Every structure is written in C-alpha cells, then in structure tokens.
Amino acid sequence: MKVDKVMRTDLISGLVVSVIGIAGFVEALRMPRFEARNADPFTVPGLTPGIVSFVIAVLGLMLVLRALAGRGASETLPIGVWPEGSVKRTLFTIATVVIYGGALFGRIPFIAATTLFVFVFTVGAEWLNPQRRMGLPVLAGWALALSLVAAFVVHYVFTVVFHVRLPG
Amino acid sequence: MDGLNQFFGAVVAIGMSADMLVVVWATLLGIVVGMIPGLTATLGVALVTTLTFTMEQNTAILVLICVYIGAIYGGGRTAILLNIPGTPANAASALDGFPLAKQGRAGEAMAVATSGSFLGTMVGMVGLALIAPWLAEFALDFTSFEFFWLAVFGIVLCGQLTSMDDPLKGWIAGFLGLLVAMVGQESLHAYSRYSYGILDLEAGFGLLPVLVGAFGCAEVFVVMRQEATTLVASQVGGVLRSALKSFRYVRTWLRSGVIGTFMGVVPGVGEDMGAWVSYAAAKRASKTPDDFGKGSTDGLLAAETGNNAAVPGALIPVLTLAIPGSAPAAVLLAAMVIHGLRPGPLIMITQADFFYSVVAMVFWASVAMLVLGLLLTRPLLLILKVRREWLMGVIFVLCAVGSFAIAGRLFDVWVMIGFGLIGFLMRETGFPIAPMILGVVLGPILDNNFRRSLSLTQGDPIPFVTRPISAVIALLVLLMIVLALPPPVRRMLGQAKVRLLEGRRADG
C-alpha cells in the first residue's frame, strides 16, 4: 500500500512538473526576438527559459512514466503518513500565517498585528496539542505575555537597534 | 608565506579589537538558533543578514560567519537530547548521539560533538586557506563557457547528492529553481520575462525571501505538522574530561574533516552531506561497525566533524567562484553582495586582505564555539525546554520581518509565504529543496554565460565541448547522469550501443 501511495504521489507530482515545463516552454516561445533591433538571435530572452522549461517538461514526463511503470524510490514519503492531528495543525498554521502575512502585516500597525498573530497562533497550537496540560485561562495569559513581549522586542530590535524600517 | 602572514595578521587584528565581543555574541546566537528545531542555519544567517545592514562590512560578515558556524554546531545538541536534528546538518548526529543520551551519557556525547565540531572547522579552515587561493587562480582561466558548465554541474551534482535515492527529483528541483530565476528583467535586452505586467515581478524573486520561505516558513509548517517532543533525561556532567578523550580518535576527525571540507566545496551540497558521507566512511573504517546507530562515539564524532568541516569548505566556491557550497553559504554570498563585496576569481587579486580576514573569522568563530559549547552546557539546555510549538509563531514573525526588511516590499512577504508552501509540499513529496535554491542562485549565471557564449561563437555549440576545461566539466556532467540512471535504462543504453556498433560493422 505504501508503494502505491509513493507512485500516486509521483504521478501527480510528475504531471504538475510537466505542466509547469510545458507552460514555461510555450511562454518562452512567445517572448520577443527583437528582429527589428537586429538583435543577435542567440541572445533572445526566451532562449534559456525555453531550454530550461523543455528539460523540466521532459523530467516531469519521466517521473510520470516511472510512476506508471510502478518504479521509484523505496522509502515512504512524508505525505503518505498524515494523522488527523497533523492535518488540523497544518491547516491551522497555513490559515494563520496567510492571514498575518497576507492581510495584517503592513496594513495595520506592526505591534498590533504581531501581538494578535502570536497570541492566536500560540493558543491555537497549544489547543490542538493532545498532550496539553494547561487550562484555557492560564494558556491565554501566557500566550498574551509571549505575544506582547515578542511584538515589542522584535519592533525595538529592528527599528531602534538596527535601524530597519518596519511596516504599519 | 605571505598568505600565512596575512592570516596571522588578521587573527591578531580581530583578537585585539572590539570584534571579539561580536564573535562571542554572534556565535552564541548561532548556537541558540541551531538548537531550536525549526530555526536552521540558513534561516539564522538570512534573518541576521537583515540586522547587519547598518554594520561595517567586515563586522557584518564576521557576525554571519559566527552565526553560521554556531548554528551548525548548536543543532547537534538537539539531535543528542531530543533525537530531532536542530538543523538538517545534524541528522546523522542523532543516530548515535540520542542512543548515547539514553544510556545516560549525554554529557559525553555533547563533549564529543563539541570537540568534533571544533576540529572539523579547523580542518575546513586549513582547506579554505589552501584550496581557495589555488582555485581562484585556476578560475581566472574560466570564460563564459566554463561558467555555464559549472552552473549545470552544480545543479546536476546537487540534485543527485541531496536525493541519493531519487536523483530525478533532485534534478527536477534544480531546474525548477533555474526557471524561478528566469522571472524578472533579464540583463541583455532588459526584457521582463514571466512578469505579465506585474511591477513587483519585474524585479524578479529576491533570493533572501525565497530562502527564508523555503527553509524557514516551510520548517514552521513541518514542525507544526509533527507531534510534540520531549527532552530525554540524562547525565550532562564530565563534559571537559570527555572532550579531551575524544582527541584519541585522530584518524576519524582527520578523515571526516577532509571529507566534510570537500563536500562543502561541491556546489549546493553542504553540511548535511558532509555529515552523512563522513559517518558512512567512519562506519566502513571502524573495527566495530555494529556499534554504529547504537551509541558509537566514533560515529557521532564523524558526523559532527564532517558537518562543521563543510562550513569553511562551502565558503571556498563562494569566495572564488561566487557559487555557494551550501544553502547558508548562498545567503552569505547574497549578504556579501549586499555589503558591497565582490566574491569571484579576482578575489585574491583585488581583495586578498578580505579573504584572509574570512579565514581568521572562521578561526575565531570555532574557538568561541569550543569555549561556549564546553562552558555553557547546562545553561544552554534551558533552551531545549521551551516548547517549540510556542516558538513557531515568533519564528514566523521573524521570517516576515526579515523578508520585508531587505527591500521594504510587502511583495517579498508574500513570496516568502508562497515559497514556504512550495518548500513544504516539496518536502512532503520527496523533492529536495537545496537544488531548487541552488537553481535560483545559479540561474542568472547560467543564462548570461550561455547566451554570451553562443553569441561569441555565432551559435556554434562546438566550443562548449572542445575547450579543455569545458570538456572536462561536460564529461563529468554526462558521467553523473549516466551513473544515476536506473540499471534497466543503463542496460537499454548498453544494448543500443551494441546494436549501433554491430550496424556500423555491417555497414563497414
């Protein structure tokens, strides 16, 4: 069963890689050749990306064919073992970092955005931990302390000590 | 002799200046970074780069080298006590380090790791001082043809070595990295490739946001996906005594030091392969190979010597060819460029002082690592008691701030998250990340030199394989590809060759 999973993963990965390669190749062919400028045909912008994309498409196809032939690496891929807890924690992580990095960071003041993110992240991560021993009030208290310290320290170190501009 | 004088001059200059304080705090910071699972040496060097913008260039590079060496060493502590490598370079150390800790010999294991790391860095430093000037002189003969092949060689070799079991995936990762590097304005016609009128894309993907995403943000996802970890209870006393005992394994540390240094020189391969190859060599040479994996001091020493020797090794191609030997070295290369330094074949002519300063920086960083590692065994253990799930939120904030700080663009934060997700998916599906990063670094080198060469020869590809150095590198690339082919394909190629020869004989 494990081998089947590896092959299925390789098959999907190979297809994705092939599509990227083909798309990159087609796009490289559409790049200008600057004939009107009498440009050297061997310096055109699409030359290297075209070759690189072609190689990617071929390698992707090889991966597809290998998976279809039932061959490949022997070890189990990490994606083949996903307990329910891992799925929950990963989805939670992706959701919080995308909201922080994509929506909060740079749009609201740095200290407010960072405090909110670290607080929610810490409470959520601990809440999803099956070995959790803390009750919610204690957990929230510690998480709030951590988030405030983290936001103020990062802000101070970057802006005051190292003169790096932060957004918001 | 002149080089030796310059080296001693640089050692004294750093030793007598306020930079010694920098050496201490930066190495300690590196050790702490390495000890925290989820904070790799690459991420540590990348984040600290943003803090060095306002520093004087030599001090900035000193900070980064100390963090780099400290982080590779610090990861060994986590491997020994948690059975989780603090950085990927310490994976081999966990094989014998953790069993030693479980036997109640954690102190001895940490002492062996410390002395091994110190000796490994010293061997690597000698390699750096001896090989780099020679390589730089040799590379003066390189033209665009050789640099093109060097880029191809780096991708093929890195792809193969970082995914021993499956080179195909390593090569795919490398070529995808090259494609990523194609995004943005190219240098010959100022045409924006794959940009679709998006202004941010016209500048291309910044190396640091890509690196921080693929190594840092992806690590946050990986750590959060895993179960929580617990610290093993073990005896941590007698560190100094055990450190002295490990000097008995002279052959292991010399062998591992040399192997680690050479693995560091290979583009993109770096510290983790330095550790694995040294470990495998030590096992083969051992009189008691069965002890390996069950708490062998020899095995732990080999792994820790090998990974730290790879650090100075990885600096050799950075300084002489401007090609990174490892992922953290890629960040260091970017940092050198940010600070106005120009690594490359001309370094020994135009910046020989800087080169010997780098060797001296490696020396002081390894001395600080030895002293701090032996003296702060117990206090440093406190770091491992912090639950890593609690740290991940703060680490992501550092990733976001670090990516933003380089150019002040929010786009770089999105790039970091995007490459974090890509890096996570790649790790889950068995694709190594290092070749992709090397591809991003080598993309412009490959592109510019390929088109320049073709332009010089009016499209004739023959000089790519007839110039002596080019021909050797091209042959090596071909050899690596053929050797990596699965046996049925090699058999098929062999049969095709026989048929071809028979056909020729029949025709003749």
Side-chain angles (χ1 to χ4, degrees):
Chain A
M1 283 307 284
K2 277 176 185 171
V3 174
D4 285 348
K5 277 184 182 171
V6 174
M7 300 315 151
R8 203 167 54 230
T9 309
D10 281 0
L11 182 66
I12 296 167
S13 314
L15 284 172
V16 172
V17 169
S18 302
V19 168
I20 292 172
I22 292 166
F25 184 70
V26 170
E27 199 58 28
L29 288 179
R30 289 175 52 206
M31 286 179 194
R33 285 152 207 199
F34 300 114
E35 282 127 337
R37 290 190 208 166
N38 280 332
D40 187 334
F42 301 106
T43 64
V44 294
L47 183 66
T48 318
I51 295 171
V52 168
S53 302
F54 179 76
V55 174
I56 291 172
V58 171
L59 292 174
L61 206 64
M62 283 169 71
L63 190 59
V64 170
L65 291 174
R66 195 183 75 178
L68 288 174
R71 286 199 310 269
S74 50
E75 63 183 82
T76 310
L77 297 174
I79 205 165
V81 193
W82 271 72
E84 198 192 327
S86 293
V87 177
K88 278 185 193 167
R89 284 193 300 273
T90 306
L91 289 178
F92 166 76
T93 309
I94 291 173
T96 46
V97 303
V98 168
I99 291 170
Y100 174 68
L104 300 178
F105 194 85
R107 288 187 174 76
I108 64 171
F110 175 79
I111 290 180
T114 303
T115 307
L116 182 66
F117 166 70
V118 177
F119 176 78
V120 171
F121 191 95
T122 310
V123 171
E126 191 61 24
W127 197 251
L128 292 169
N129 175 16
Q131 296 161 23
R132 175 175 57 87
R133 289 190 207 130
M134 282 182 198
L136 189 58
V138 181
L139 172 61
W142 278 109
L144 185 64
L146 174 71
S147 56
L148 282 169
V149 169
F152 278 98
V153 168
V154 171
H155 188 266
Y156 178 81
V157 169
F158 275 86
T159 57
V160 180
V161 181
F162 293 105
H163 309 291
V164 174
R165 191 179 68 83
L166 290 181
Chain B
M1 204 57 195
D2 193 36
L4 203 63
N5 286 338
Q6 280 178 289
F7 166 66
F8 282 122
V11 168
V12 173
I14 294 174
M16 302 290 281
S17 70
D19 278 348
M20 277 312 286
L21 200 65
V22 173
V23 170
V24 175
W25 73 253
T27 310
L28 188 61
L29 179 66
I31 294 172
V32 172
V33 163
M35 284 179 75
I36 300 170
L39 275 183
T40 59
T42 311
L43 181 62
V45 179
L47 291 179
V48 176
T49 297
T50 58
L51 300 179
T52 63
F53 287 165
T54 52
M55 290 180 185
E56 191 265 324
Q57 59 178 208
N58 271 29
T59 310
I61 302 306
L62 175 65
V63 169
L64 297 176
I65 286 177
C66 290
V67 170
Y68 184 6
I69 289 176
I72 296 295
Y73 161 69
R77 298 272 161 130
T78 329
I80 291 165
L81 293 164
L82 293 178
N83 200 23
I84 297 169
T87 71
N90 308 100
S93 310
L95 291 182
D96 286 295
F98 188 65
L100 277 169
K102 281 210 294 190
Q103 292 163 21
R105 295 158 65 195
E108 185 187 336
M110 286 190 279
V112 168
T114 306
S115 52
S117 298
F118 172 73
L119 294 167
T121 317
M122 284 292 142
V123 175
M125 186 193 74
V126 173
L128 170 65
L130 295 178
I131 300 171
W134 171 80
L135 187 60
E137 200 180 324
F138 181 63
L140 284 173
D141 291 335
F142 284 18
T143 60
S144 52
F145 298 94
E146 285 76 24
F147 274 105
F148 162 76
W149 276 118
L150 212 57
V152 177
F153 176 76
I155 295 294
V156 174
L157 187 60
C158 179
Q160 191 164 339
L161 288 180
T162 51
S163 57
M164 285 281 204
D165 201 26
D166 200 352
L168 182 57
K169 287 185 174 177
W171 295 338
I172 288 174
F175 276 90
L176 284 174
L178 287 177
L179 191 61
V180 169
M182 297 297 126
V183 177
Q185 210 168 65
E186 47 89 44
S187 60
L188 297 183
H189 297 281
Y191 175 75
S192 294
R193 297 157 167 162
Y194 302 115
S195 302
Y196 310 102
I198 301 166
L199 207 62
D200 284 319
L201 274 180
E202 290 190 5
F205 295 116
L207 178 63
L208 285 183
V210 171
L211 269 163
V212 171
F215 285 99
C217 182
E219 192 68 31
V220 171
F221 295 136
V222 170
V223 168
M224 290 302 292
R225 173 208 191 290
Q226 292 164 348
E227 298 293 337
T229 52
T230 47
L231 190 69
V232 67
S234 188
Q235 174 62 248
V236 292
V239 172
L240 274 171
R241 203 173 47 249
S242 305
L244 289 173
K245 265 200 285 184
S246 64
F247 280 80
R248 284 182 310 192
Y249 300 93
V250 181
R251 264 191 290 190
T252 301
W253 67 254
L254 267 181
R255 186 195 320 109
S256 308
V258 172
I259 291 173
T261 307
F262 279 99
M263 292 315 290
V265 176
V266 177
V269 173
E271 301 80 21
D272 37 351
M273 288 309 296
W276 283 116
V277 178
S278 301
Y279 184 83
K283 191 174 177 181
R284 264 199 307 273
S286 173
K287 286 176 189 159
T288 53
D290 291 343
D291 290 350
F292 278 64
K294 296 170 192 159
S296 161
T297 315
D298 209 8
L300 177 62
L301 184 72
E304 281 295 310
T305 308
N307 64 21
N308 265 80
V311 176
L315 296 180
I316 295 172
V318 165
L319 293 168
T320 56
L321 302 170
I323 288 174
S326 67
V331 190
L332 198 61
L333 175 63
M336 284 181 185
V337 174
I338 289 169
H339 283 283
L341 295 157
R342 289 283 171 271
L346 289 173
I347 194 161
M348 295 309 295
I349 297 167
T350 58
Q351 301 166 85
D353 284 354
F354 171 70
F355 169 75
Y356 286 106
S357 292
V358 169
V359 183
M361 289 171 195
V362 171
F363 171 78
W364 281 118
S366 55
V367 171
M369 173 191 76
L370 178 73
V371 175
L372 293 170
L374 292 178
L375 294 183
L376 300 180
T377 304
R378 282 176 202 278
L380 285 173
L381 285 182
L382 294 174
I383 294 157
L384 296 180
K385 291 190 175 162
V386 180
R387 284 182 40 75
R388 58 190 187 138
E389 291 77 9
W390 282 59
L391 287 176
M392 288 302 121
V394 183
I395 289 170
F396 183 76
V397 170
L398 291 174
C399 290
V401 171
S403 304
F404 175 83
I406 298 152
R409 293 194 305 175
L410 276 177
F411 175 73
D412 286 331
V413 180
W414 305 334
V415 169
M416 181 271 296
I417 296 174
F419 275 89
L421 288 168
I422 291 169
F424 177 60
L425 277 175
M426 284 175 71
R427 284 171 70 160
E428 289 292 311
T429 50
F431 288 86
I433 296 175
M436 183 183 78
I437 296 301
L438 190 67
V440 177
V441 176
L442 295 181
I445 297 174
L446 182 135
D447 178 34
N448 293 337
N449 287 297
F450 178 57
R451 289 190 292 157
R452 198 172 295 143
S453 304
L454 277 181
S455 182
L456 285 172
T457 62
Q458 300 289 308
D460 181 8
I462 299 297
F464 279 97
V465 288
T466 51
R467 290 174 59 87
I469 303 172
S470 278
V472 171
I473 310 176
L475 262 175
L476 284 172
V477 170
L478 190 70
L479 194 71
M480 279 188 296
I481 294 171
V482 171
L483 287 177
L485 291 174
V489 180
R490 261 186 282 169
R491 243 193 329 269
M492 214 165 67
L493 284 175
Q495 284 163 359
K497 191 179 153 195
V498 170
R499 274 201 299 274
L500 192 77
L501 289 173
E502 281 171 353
R504 271 191 195 163
R505 252 183 247 128
D507 290 344

